[in-house]
């Protein structure tokens, strides 16, 4: 190879097909020219090696069991986290296949006070530890944090909306997340080349006249270069030189993991997804297998070792944070499968190996395995996905056609449903606004239905004791949405301005192109409740129930009304209109750094917290009870089966929710058929039906 990025890459790239990827940073081009699609079945897979089982057994007995008992295994209270802040750590003597821990001990959590000291101190105390007063002094007196900056800028109306839970879960006290570094670049090119390109991009604008944009561009590139040098130092502490490209499959996985590890060592984002790796890794596995340097058992051991490491990522969180997200998640989402833009399947043997970890190591929520589903995927792979889903309930499915159409065939999911082009795009994560509570505010003229407090001024409530009129309620809802959406987006702009300034993700952004697409990931909660409540007002008779102050606190609903989730256009169109209306209002507001506004219908985990802060609805939803998750129909409202609910969700326009639409379904294996073969075939059929062409699920 001549005129390649790095002269030393000749050995590392031996046997790979040339292309633009050899002269520019272009991982997708490398994959497209070199991967081997796999259309067979799972017969080739290997079980866990003895070494894998020993490491997993040590982790379970000595660490995980203790963590379950304590909630938090341990916290380092003396060392603010950074890429190279901790000495090397290992699980056991057998832990040598894929090495690296966030701290020096498995499950020990690190402080990340750049986001905000208050959350760090609370989390330390909740873990039963003592705060290091010297560290506290630094981050309260000498070093301003993201959280302090946010609250310095917040307006009274943002504070009021936040306290009332009309807007909840804002990333104003923790890392924003939803950024996927292209960790594959570390393996394909080596860190020295990545540094060289970042320095070149920084110097290319040296003659630009001063502006805030170019000053920030050069400063951020300096931070990225510094992070890449720290990445090399961290790897060197494990005795590994990652300055050049990986030369074997094991090195490719190790180099890639080091890039991810550096990111989770330095940021505690709400979602620290790892990206789309299987077809990339598989190129190296196929080369090593063909050369006799690796066996199938060895290949599976490497993937098992990587997944094991992803399962033990931990962040220092407060109990309140865990309640918002219903546990201790970090969403190390691994996206897989789908089709390429040329029509070839992106399924490889390593796609199977990833799913096999759920058998070899047992089921687990992390990494969040997300399959980009298309009816045209190979049958053997579809059958294996269905079988593993039935066994473990540990796989998530997304519409590959919608993602590929909007984001290309090298996109990945951050968190649960947020797609982005790997290494070319990032999201400003924005939690979500409570669309359900907003409806109740519209009826009550800005008074909170739970506390009676006047939260929003200048809006007249609906008067009288007669039945509610749909058109009057809708007009007031639109007006209240103007206030809530405006307040919400203003808060997001403030948060991300402050985060870039005081908690910039230099490692993750070092693994992006220098010029990237930015989206603002807005979100809504309570869609099904709003749709059903508006449907009840329109098609039944809904009479408000007031307390002694005139506040509407409940509703008497008489008569039947169509419910969202049953493939009934009357209710489904209301839901689609709500999503479209909110998105239109979001789009009308300027975004920080000219981000492209997007919207998600998500709340997979926070539906309990939102419901707890919200009153009763015309739909019959009781005060203080959980919302249905994501875009799900209300619990018990979908009476026409799983496919009908999928079709209802499919009527939501993906253009109005490009950040993703989530539908969570629960079904027992017995409900799919009597035999395992029947269960697999029926689940594949349901998925194919749910992800038919142009169904925006």
């Amino acid at each position: 190879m001549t005129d390649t990025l790095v002269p030393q890459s000749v050995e590392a790239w031996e046997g790979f097909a040339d292309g633009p990827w050899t002269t520019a940073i272009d991982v997708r081009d490398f994959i497209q020219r070199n991967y081997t699609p796999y259309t067979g079945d799972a017969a080739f897979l290997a079980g866990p090696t003895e070494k894998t089982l020993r490491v997993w057994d040590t982790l379970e007995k000595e660490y995980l069991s203790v963590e379950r008992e304590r909630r938090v295994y341990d916290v380092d209270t003396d060392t603010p986290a950074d890429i190279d802040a901790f000495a090397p750590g290992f699980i056991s003597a057998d832990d040598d296949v894929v090495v690296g821990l966030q701290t020096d001990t498995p499950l020990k959590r690190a402080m990340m006070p750049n986001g905000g000291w208050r959350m760090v101190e609370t989390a330390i105390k909740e873990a039963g530890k003592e705060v290091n007063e010297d560290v506290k002094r630094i981050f309260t007196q000498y070093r301003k944090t993201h959280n302090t900056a946010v609250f310095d800028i917040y307006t009274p109306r943002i504070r009021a909306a936040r306290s009332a839970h009309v807007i909840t879960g804002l990333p104003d006290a923790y890392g924003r997340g939803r950024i996927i570094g292209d960790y594959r670049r570390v393996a394909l090119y080596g860190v020295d080349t990545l540094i060289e390109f970042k320095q070149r991009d920084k110097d290319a604008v040296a003659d630009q006249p001063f502006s805030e944009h170019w000053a920030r561009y050069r400063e951020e590139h300096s931070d990225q270069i510094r992070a890449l040098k720290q990445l090399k130092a961290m790897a060197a502490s494990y005795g590994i030189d990652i300055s050049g490209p990986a030369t074997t499959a094991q090195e490719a996985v190790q180099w890639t993991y080091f890039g991810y590890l550096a990111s989770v060592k330095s940021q505690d984002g709400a979602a620290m997804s790892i990206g789309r790796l299987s077809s990339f890794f598989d190129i190296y596995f196929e080369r090593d297998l063909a050369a006799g340097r690796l066996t199938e058992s060895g290949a599976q051991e490497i993937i098992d070792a990587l997944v094991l490491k992803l399962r033990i990522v931990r962040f220092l969180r407060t109990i309140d944070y865990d309640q918002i997200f219903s546990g201790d998640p970090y969403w190390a989402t691994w996206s897989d499968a789908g089709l390429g833009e040329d029509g070839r399947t992106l399924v490889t043997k390593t796609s199977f190996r990833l799913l096999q970890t759920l058998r070899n190591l047992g089921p687990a929520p992390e990494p969040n395995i997300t399959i980009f589903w298309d009816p045209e995927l190979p049958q053997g792979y579809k059958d294996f996905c269905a079988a593993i889903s039935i066994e473990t309930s540990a796989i998530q499915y997304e519409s590959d056609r919608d993602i590929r159409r909007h984001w290309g065939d090298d996109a990945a999911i951050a968190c649960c449903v947020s797609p982005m082009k790997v290494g070319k795009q990032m999201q400003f994560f924005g939690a979500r606004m409570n669309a359900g509570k907003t409806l109740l505010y519209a009826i009550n003229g800005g008074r909170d239905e739970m506390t009676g407090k006047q939260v929003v001024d200048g809006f007249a409530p609906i008067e009288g004791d007669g039945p509610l009129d749909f058109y009057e309620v809708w007009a007031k809802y639109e007006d209240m949405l103007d206030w809530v959406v405006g307040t919400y987006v203003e808060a997001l702009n403030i948060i991300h301005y402050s985060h870039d300034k005081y908690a910039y993700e230099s490692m993750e952004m070092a693994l992006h192109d220098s010029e990237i697409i930015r989206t603002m990931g807005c979100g809504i909660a309570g869609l099904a409740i709003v749709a059903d409540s508006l449907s009840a007002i329109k098609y039944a008779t809904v009479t408000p129930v007031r307390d002694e102050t005139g506040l509407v606190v409940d509703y008497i609903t008489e008569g039947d009304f169509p419910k969202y989730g049953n493939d009934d256009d009357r209710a489904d169109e209301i839901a689609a209109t709500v999503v479209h209306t909110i998105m239109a209002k979001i789009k009308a507001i300027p975004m920080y750094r000219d981000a492209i506004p997007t919207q998600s219908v998500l709340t997979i985990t926070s539906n309990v917290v939102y419901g707890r802060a919200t009153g009763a609805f015309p739909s019959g939803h009781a005060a203080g009870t959980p919302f249905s998750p994501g875009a799900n129909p209300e619990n018990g409202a979908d009476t026409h089966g799983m496919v009908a609910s999928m079709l209802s969700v499919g009527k939501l326009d993906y253009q109005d929710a490009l950040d993703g639409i989530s539908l969570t379904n629960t079904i027992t294996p017995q409900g799919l058929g009597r035999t395992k073969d029947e269960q697999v075939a029926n689940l594949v059929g349901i998925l194919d039906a749910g992800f038919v062409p142009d169904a925006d699920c």
Side-chain angles (χ1 to χ4, degrees):
M1 296 180 185
T2 59
D3 298 322
T4 58
L5 287 176
V6 279
Q8 68 268 33
S9 66
V10 174
E11 179 187 355
W13 295 348
E14 184 179 354
F16 295 153
D18 287 358
W21 66 271
T22 65
T23 55
I25 305 295
D26 192 343
V27 178
R28 180 191 176 272
D29 182 66
F30 167 74
I31 292 170
Q32 288 294 315
R33 293 175 185 277
N34 289 283
Y35 86 100
T36 304
Y38 181 67
T39 59
D41 60 22
F44 73 93
L45 288 166
T49 65
E50 289 299 317
K51 177 180 283 189
T52 296
L53 294 175
R54 286 196 301 270
V55 174
W56 185 244
D57 186 61
T58 299
L59 186 62
E60 171 61 37
K61 289 180 178 177
E62 298 185 15
Y63 299 100
L64 289 170
S65 61
V66 177
E67 182 184 61
R68 285 193 292 269
E69 189 176 311
R70 297 178 183 170
R71 179 180 163 269
V72 173
Y73 177 82
D74 196 10
V75 181
D76 187 306
T77 60
D78 300 320
T79 312
D82 207 347
I83 295 168
D84 55 357
F86 293 95
F90 299 87
I91 298 169
S92 66
D94 284 321
D95 181 18
D96 60 359
V97 178
V98 175
V99 301
L101 300 176
Q102 283 174 288
T103 60
D104 56 359
T105 303
L107 306 184
K108 182 193 284 185
R109 307 185 188 215
M111 299 180 291
M112 296 192 183
N114 288 337
W117 177 257
R118 183 166 52 92
M119 177 174 275
V120 168
E121 181 168 357
T122 301
I124 288 172
K125 291 179 178 178
E126 288 176 349
K129 299 289 183 177
E130 295 294 325
V131 169
N132 182 311
E133 292 298 327
D134 289 336
V135 176
K136 178 178 180 178
R137 188 179 308 109
I138 291 169
F139 287 94
T140 55
Q141 296 183 26
Y142 304 118
R143 208 290 186 181
K144 192 170 187 176
T145 67
H146 155 64
N147 179 248
T148 300
V150 167
F151 278 86
D152 281 349
I153 306 172
Y154 267 174
T155 63
R157 74 173 188 172
I158 294 173
R159 288 173 178 262
R162 187 180 184 277
S163 297
H165 305 289
V166 180
I167 303 169
T168 305
L170 294 169
D172 52 19
Y174 58 91
R176 58 190 170 196
R178 298 280 184 92
I179 300 174
I180 307 174
D182 190 355
Y183 306 111
R184 306 167 301 185
R185 295 183 182 191
V186 180
L188 184 56
Y189 298 109
V191 176
D192 283 353
T193 293
L194 300 181
I195 291 173
E196 179 184 338
F197 266 69
K198 286 295 179 183
Q199 187 66 52
R200 182 203 66 180
D201 291 342
K202 177 187 174 183
D203 293 342
V205 300
D207 295 330
Q208 289 284 347
F210 177 83
S211 68
E212 184 178 354
H213 169 78
W214 291 117
R216 177 163 53 186
Y217 179 94
R218 286 179 55 80
E219 182 182 22
E220 288 181 350
H221 275 67
S222 293
D223 288 341
Q224 293 171 23
I225 291 167
R226 192 174 299 113
L228 288 167
K229 290 177 179 178
Q230 288 179 282
L231 169 60
K232 278 182 63 176
M234 183 267 287
S237 73
Y238 284 92
I240 298 174
D241 179 7
I242 61 172
S243 58
T247 60
T248 66
Q250 189 277 333
E251 286 185 354
V253 173
Q254 179 68 73
W255 271 226
T256 301
Y257 172 63
F258 271 148
Y260 179 75
L261 181 63
S263 296
V264 297
K265 279 174 170 282
S266 55
Q267 283 289 335
D268 61 345
M272 299 293 287
S273 302
I274 197 167
R276 195 167 186 171
L277 305 177
S278 293
S279 55
F280 175 76
F281 286 156
D282 198 75
I283 296 167
Y284 290 88
F285 281 124
E286 285 292 299
R287 186 177 66 171
D288 282 6
L289 286 163
R293 292 190 293 264
L294 190 67
T295 64
E296 180 55 41
S297 180
Q300 186 65 54
E301 181 179 69
I302 293 169
I303 295 298
D304 287 347
L306 175 59
V307 168
L308 188 150
K309 290 298 173 68
L310 298 180
R311 289 187 180 188
I312 61 172
V313 171
R314 295 291 185 271
F315 296 114
L316 183 61
R317 308 291 202 193
T318 63
I319 292 173
D320 282 347
Y321 178 98
D322 287 352
Q323 288 178 344
I324 290 174
F325 296 106
S326 298
D328 189 16
Y330 43 94
W331 290 290
T333 303
W334 182 323
S335 304
D336 208 346
L339 303 179
E341 293 174 3
D342 61 3
R344 291 184 298 163
T345 179
L346 285 163
V347 171
T348 63
K349 285 188 174 181
T350 300
S351 302
F352 281 80
R353 294 177 185 121
L354 174 63
L355 298 182
Q356 179 74 352
T357 66
L358 294 168
R359 285 177 170 169
N360 289 356
L361 302 175
E366 300 286 359
N368 174 0
I369 298 175
T370 297
I371 304 302
F372 288 3
W373 189 274
D374 188 290
E376 299 302 317
L377 290 177
Q379 190 63 44
Y381 183 69
K382 294 198 294 185
D383 290 346
F384 191 57
C385 285
I388 296 294
S389 283
I390 291 166
E391 291 174 22
T392 68
S393 300
I395 304 177
Q396 175 177 280
Y397 298 94
E398 308 259 349
S399 170
D400 180 61
R401 295 189 184 195
D402 288 312
I403 293 169
R404 189 172 70 251
R405 183 186 306 141
H406 290 88
W407 313 108
D409 62 6
D410 196 37
I413 297 296
C415 190
C416 306
V417 297
S418 302
M420 59 193 68
K421 297 181 179 181
V422 179
K424 301 180 180 301
Q425 180 180 341
M426 67 159 289
Q427 181 193 105
F428 294 137
F429 166 55
R432 49 204 55 86
M433 53 164 278
N434 191 331
K437 198 173 184 73
T438 302
L439 176 63
L440 302 184
Y441 273 32
I443 293 169
N444 278 311
R447 287 182 70 192
D448 191 280
E449 74 286 352
M450 301 291 276
T451 66
K453 182 178 179 181
Q454 188 73 41
V455 175
V456 186
D457 293 321
F459 293 85
I462 289 177
E463 304 286 355
D465 297 323
L468 296 174
D469 176 77
F470 173 81
Y471 297 100
E472 180 184 12
V473 171
W474 177 257
K476 288 186 176 294
Y477 187 45
E478 277 219 70
D479 289 344
M480 189 59 68
L481 281 172
D482 286 334
W483 188 94
V484 173
V485 169
T487 304
Y488 176 39
V489 173
E490 183 181 11
L492 296 184
N493 284 335
I494 291 168
I495 287 167
H496 295 295
Y497 165 84
S498 301
H499 205 291
D500 275 348
K501 193 171 182 180
Y502 296 103
Y504 179 67
E505 300 92 341
S506 55
M507 185 68 254
E508 290 162 275
M509 298 312 299
L511 300 175
H512 280 71
D513 292 353
S514 290
E515 295 289 354
I516 61 169
I517 299 168
R518 292 178 176 87
T519 60
M520 184 71 78
C522 306
I524 60 172
L527 174 63
I529 299 171
V530 173
D532 286 354
S533 293
L534 290 170
S535 178
I537 294 168
K538 186 172 185 178
Y539 295 105
T541 302
V542 177
T543 305
V545 177
R546 301 179 185 274
D547 67 8
E548 62 278 4
T549 70
L551 181 72
V552 177
V553 294
D554 206 349
Y555 303 86
I556 297 172
T557 300
E558 299 172 292
D560 294 328
F561 57 93
K563 296 181 176 66
Y564 166 71
N566 296 290
D567 194 21
D568 187 318
D569 287 344
R570 294 172 297 170
D572 298 345
E573 286 175 4
I574 292 175
T577 299
V578 170
V579 174
H580 177 77
T581 299
I582 293 174
M583 190 65 239
K585 294 179 184 298
I586 292 170
K587 284 180 177 179
I589 304 171
M591 300 286 161
Y592 171 65
R593 293 187 86 162
D594 297 321
I596 300 168
T598 61
Q599 181 176 211
S600 67
V601 189
L602 183 51
T603 61
I604 286 178
T605 55
S606 50
N607 50 304
V608 175
V609 174
Y610 287 103
R612 189 181 302 143
T614 307
F617 285 87
S619 64
H621 186 96
T625 57
F627 289 179
S628 58
N632 273 52
E634 271 278 78
N635 296 326
D638 49 333
T639 58
H640 287 60
M642 184 172 171
V643 172
S645 70
M646 296 174 80
L647 292 173
S648 287
V649 174
K651 294 173 191 174
L652 304 179
D653 190 342
Y654 186 55
Q655 292 288 349
D656 291 326
L658 288 172
D659 194 36
I661 302 169
S662 167
L663 173 64
T664 304
N665 275 309
T666 302
I667 187 168
T668 63
Q670 294 76 15
L672 289 167
R674 291 172 295 179
T675 68
K676 186 169 183 178
D677 287 346
E678 283 183 355
Q679 293 168 2
V680 167
N682 287 332
L683 181 53
V684 169
I686 289 170
L687 290 168
D688 281 347
F691 292 112
V692 292
D694 299 319
D696 295 320
C697 297

